[in-house]
Amino acid sequence: MSHTTCALVPERCIACGLCAVYAPQVFDYDEEGIVLFKEEPYAKKQFISDAESASVLKAYQKCPVRAILIE
């Protein structure tokens, strides 16, 4: 079983909200609307399970400023 690693670049985030639309189980926001991981708000990188990988990939593709990175 392979795992995808997702990294966040919060300084790029423009608080558009698309990541939580496509992957609400993974992404959330701070009080300014800047992206963070729902389960680990202070982490900048997180392993994504196979079950969540399709929605995270969609969020990555839809992010207009590439604040989400897939590794």
Side-chain angles (χ1 to χ4, degrees), residues 1-65:
M1 175 152 70
S2 66
H3 285 291
T4 301
T5 303
C6 179
L8 299 178
V9 187
E11 56 272 14
R12 290 184 185 171
C13 183
I14 58 170
C16 72
L18 288 175
C19 55
V21 168
Y22 291 103
Q25 72 282 14
V26 175
F27 301 112
D28 203 356
Y29 307 102
D30 68 12
E31 60 280 352
E32 278 95 43
I34 302 303
V35 66
L36 50 79
F37 289 116
K38 189 173 227 164
E39 298 297 319
E40 299 179 71
Y42 297 104
K44 297 293 180 229
K45 201 176 266 195
Q46 184 170 293
F47 287 112
I48 304 301
S49 72
D50 290 341
E52 297 167 334
S53 64
S55 60
V56 170
L57 183 61
K58 188 67 144 177
Y60 159 77
Q61 292 168 336
K62 295 294 185 179
C63 181
V65 293

